[in-house]
Amino acid sequence: MSKALSCQTNFIRQIIDEDLARGVHTIVRTRFPPEPNGYLHIGHAKSICLNFNIAIDYRGQCHLRFDDTNPVNENMDFIESIKNDVTWLGFQWYGTVRYASDFFEQQYEYAVELIKKGLAYVDELSPDLIREYRGSLTVAGQDSPYRNRSVVDNLNLFSQMRNGCFSEGAACLRAKINMASSFMILRDPVLYRIKFSDHHQTGSKWCIYPMYDFAHCISDALEGITHSLCTLEFQDNRRLYDWVLNNITISTHPKQYEFSRLNLEYTILSKRHLKRLVSEKLVEGWDDPRMLTLAGMRRRGYTAASIREFCRRIGISKQEAIIEMTALESCIREDLNENAPRAMAVLNAIKVFIINLPDDYEEMLSMPCHPNKHTMGRRIVPFTKEIYIDRSDFSEETQKNYKRLMIGKEVRLRHAYVIKAEGVEKDGQGNITCVLCTCDMNTFNKNPLDSRKIKGVIHWVSTKYSLAAEFRLYEPLFTSLNPAAAEDLLTTINPNSLVVQKGFVEQNMQYAQTSSPYQFEREGYFCTDSVHSTPNKLVFNRIVSLRHSLLKCNV
Ligand code: ATP
Ligand code: MG
């Protein structure tokens, strides 16, 4: 087994390198172990990239295993969405999809082994009393009165638990470790609890389900995982992970390593909170384009490559940090700047009449689809007497440093001619209904003959040949940098997280493929929304705005 081929290194890869060099392992096996109780978010992407890239780089294997030990919150929709998201991100798990529930029978046998060794007992304290007896960080726990039952009694009672003789909460199986341990997790943790819930994989076969800490380490070991990678909040759980594996008869003992989880500004990355946003209808669903779920980001127009690149840049360490939103945005901008075809869209339209052109003037202008990728080809955009420009690109008053259209001043229409504003027409209320311009027909894709300087370039579409469209502009869902710290999440919801604007796009957009991204010049990167777009209605999501430096475009 050779060392990793590509990719930057990190402390986990260094450990793997050493393990391989010392011959501790000959193959590297990792796993991504989501609980199917929600959709994956960008935090999970960090874990997916870590685990799958290690398998790729070390020519090892990465399993996809559902940690399905709590059927109450899990379902098949979540399972399907997770499989779909992992595949979309560009990864393929080794072999079949696995489930912790594949091992329920073995886990049960290991629990029986612990009981036989006097290392587990059936407790009949109520859940409230178990909590009370556990003590706190400063107060040692207290032994349960049921702690010293005989092995025979425990075996009997555990089998009764399995057979449905107890009601939920009336009994549980606990490890017998140490009620005075300074690690709370070791104060006789619960290993099995009773739940009369059907399970998406095992149906009604079981009414007792193992706890995460018991099921996870055993599943890792049975699958031959070599490096079990998880986030830092599981640091203490490692003691229990090792305790279980040290006390059962199993031939492999994977090692758990923890790294810091991803936190992002203005974002919440916890399925519990995301679920609340969905169930209280504060968003359209798990795939709302404002949600940083992989389904939401995909619908918004993020590419898988940009998310992988983001995960590469943030790296892996034990340092807790909140990553700036701009770090994520630069990844998608860089990708789309390179790869998204250009088009024109006017989001907040005002009409322009070009008074020196005949009424039926039509000219088919050929424009490049990308400023420096000629292989992307060219497109035809009709230029007519009547066009739309953006309201913010015209000012009736003369303003200093305003490089767009003003009365008496000239501006270039992108990929077309130089026009000059001569006057306006207004309605009864004094609102401008149209800007009257003249066009210098000697300026197509070239500077005026007398070399007058034209500073501004604005985008436009023909009124006759453009298509009406809806534009959905997004801001973060929360106004607070760290919404998780807010007392109530709802107080930090951003009222402007979605702004809907009606405007026009060049007619080539009738062929826009669902979710394929475009740069609408000067407005940002957009893609059609897979939910709101219909054959008769074009709806675009703004994926991300342009960087300031890109706002200036040249002919
Ligand atoms: P959440 O906190 O969102 O409910 P979770 O940890 O309960 O997430 P799991 O389905 O158990 O979600 O997570 C699967 C894997 O993804 C775990 O190994 C977990 O450590 C990792 N993971 C979850 N959230 C993040 C994150 N923000 N950054 C990095 N890894 C994460
Ligand atoms: Mg979890």
Side-chain angles (χ1 to χ4, degrees), residues 85-119:
D85 285 347
V86 172
T87 308
W88 175 75
L89 254 193
F91 296 107
Q92 180 56 60
W93 50 88
Y94 181 80
T96 55
V97 172
R98 293 147 213 265
Y99 298 85
S101 55
D102 294 342
F103 307 119
F104 276 173
E105 199 64 57
Q106 284 110 307
Q107 285 157 5
Y108 182 84
E109 290 307 321
Y110 284 123
V112 167
E113 182 184 347
L114 288 179
I115 294 174
K116 286 184 179 160
K117 288 177 169 167
L119 292 174

Side-chain angles (χ1 to χ4, degrees), residues 31-42:
R31 85 287 171 266
F32 174 62
E35 185 181 355
N37 60 352
Y39 279 53
L40 297 182
H41 51 64
I42 179 93

Side-chain angles (χ1 to χ4, degrees), residues 91-372:
F91 296 107
Q92 180 56 60
W93 50 88
Y94 181 80
T96 55
V97 172
R98 293 147 213 265
Y99 298 85
S101 55
D102 294 342
F103 307 119
F104 276 173
E105 199 64 57
Q106 284 110 307
Q107 285 157 5
Y108 182 84
E109 290 307 321
Y110 284 123
V112 167
E113 182 184 347
L114 288 179
I115 294 174
K116 286 184 179 160
K117 288 177 169 167
L119 292 174
Y121 61 98
V122 172
D123 197 358
E124 286 172 78
L125 282 182
S126 68
D128 281 346
L129 281 178
I130 289 183
R131 212 167 300 125
E132 210 178 302
Y133 276 47
R134 187 167 288 133
S136 67
L137 285 174
T138 48
V139 180
Q142 242 178 289
D143 286 0
S144 160
Y146 302 99
R147 197 173 197 260
N148 292 317
R149 284 179 146 148
S150 69
V151 166
V152 175
D153 284 353
N154 279 319
L155 286 174
N156 253 327
L157 291 165
F158 189 46
S159 140
Q160 284 173 27
M161 275 174 63
R162 179 179 182 166
N163 292 330
C165 306
F166 287 97
S167 55
E168 281 187 20
C172 64
L173 185 75
R174 296 179 71 178
K176 194 168 177 179
I177 308 180
N178 177 4
M179 287 305 290
S181 171
S182 54
F183 295 100
M184 297 294 286
I185 190 92
L186 296 184
R187 293 188 185 175
D188 290 11
V190 173
L191 303 181
Y192 269 88
R193 73 275 200 235
I194 298 168
K195 276 188 196 288
F196 289 97
S197 294
D198 279 3
H199 187 285
H200 45 94
Q201 302 302 314
T202 56
S204 57
K205 180 163 182 211
W206 295 88
C207 64
I208 55 171
Y209 292 98
M211 299 298 285
Y212 165 86
D213 284 309
F214 187 65
H216 193 79
C217 54
I218 294 176
S219 310
D220 275 354
L222 291 174
E223 287 182 14
I225 301 301
T226 53
H227 300 82
S228 176
L229 313 176
C230 63
T231 36
L232 279 171
E233 69 273 18
F234 292 101
Q235 211 158 5
D236 283 354
N237 300 56
R238 176 166 21 96
R239 322 238 158 210
L240 182 52
Y241 187 105
D242 289 334
W243 183 91
V244 172
L245 294 184
N246 284 335
N247 285 293
I248 60 176
T249 309
I250 201 158
S251 56
T252 52
H253 188 142
K255 283 273 177 349
Q256 177 181 306
Y257 299 98
E258 308 89 18
F259 61 95
S260 58
R261 56 195 291 124
L262 168 67
N263 301 302
L264 253 189
E265 279 179 351
Y266 303 107
T267 302
I268 213 108
L269 291 183
S270 144
K271 278 185 280 189
R272 189 165 56 87
H273 287 125
L274 295 175
K275 197 172 227 156
R276 177 167 176 213
L277 297 174
V278 174
S279 62
E280 296 189 17
K281 302 214 172 351
L282 296 161
V283 293
E284 284 181 16
W286 286 98
D287 69 345
D288 187 298
R290 292 165 294 180
M291 299 266 273
L292 285 179
T293 52
L294 295 180
M297 295 176 80
R298 178 166 61 239
R299 181 171 153 200
R300 169 99 166 239
Y302 268 84
T303 59
S306 70
I307 296 175
R308 291 195 304 265
E309 174 60 12
F310 170 70
C311 293
R312 192 189 68 77
R313 287 188 194 176
I314 56 175
I316 296 291
S317 75
K318 281 183 175 286
Q319 207 68 41
E320 294 280 9
I322 301 187
I323 306 289
E324 287 179 13
M325 211 46 186
T326 50
L328 178 60
E329 289 181 352
S330 354
C331 292
I332 183 70
R333 279 197 190 104
E334 283 171 34
D335 180 353
L336 298 183
N337 182 39
E338 185 76 16
N339 298 313
R342 274 41 173 180
M344 289 198 285
V346 175
L347 274 60
N348 183 14
I350 184 168
K351 264 186 196 164
V352 169
F353 277 118
I354 301 176
I355 51 184
N356 60 331
L357 289 181
D359 283 354
D360 58 354
Y361 188 84
E362 285 185 7
E363 185 180 354
M364 297 300 148
L365 304 183
S366 162
M367 303 182 185
C369 293
H370 193 282
N372 41 35

Side-chain angles (χ1 to χ4, degrees), residues 456-516:
V457 182
I458 62 172
H459 59 285
W460 57 278
V461 293
S462 156
T463 56
K464 182 173 173 190
Y465 290 106
S466 59
L467 304 168
E470 182 179 298
F471 303 93
R472 298 169 78 87
L473 312 181
Y474 302 107
E475 281 183 17
L477 255 181
F478 303 99
T479 53
S480 136
L481 263 178
N482 183 9
E487 209 158 280
D488 182 357
L489 210 55
L490 301 195
T491 59
T492 130
I493 293 266
N494 177 2
N496 301 320
S497 62
L498 168 63
V499 172
V500 177
Q501 255 177 285
K502 307 258 184 210
F504 302 91
V505 283
E506 62 179 67
Q507 63 178 9
N508 296 310
M509 284 300 106
Q510 67 187 303
Y511 307 114
Q513 300 275 316
T514 304
S515 303
S516 93

Side-chain angles (χ1 to χ4, degrees), residues 18-36:
E18 283 162 25
D19 284 350
L20 293 173
R22 287 193 292 125
V24 178
H25 300 292
T26 50
I27 183 162
V28 175
R29 222 177 267 115
T30 55
R31 85 287 171 266
F32 174 62
E35 185 181 355

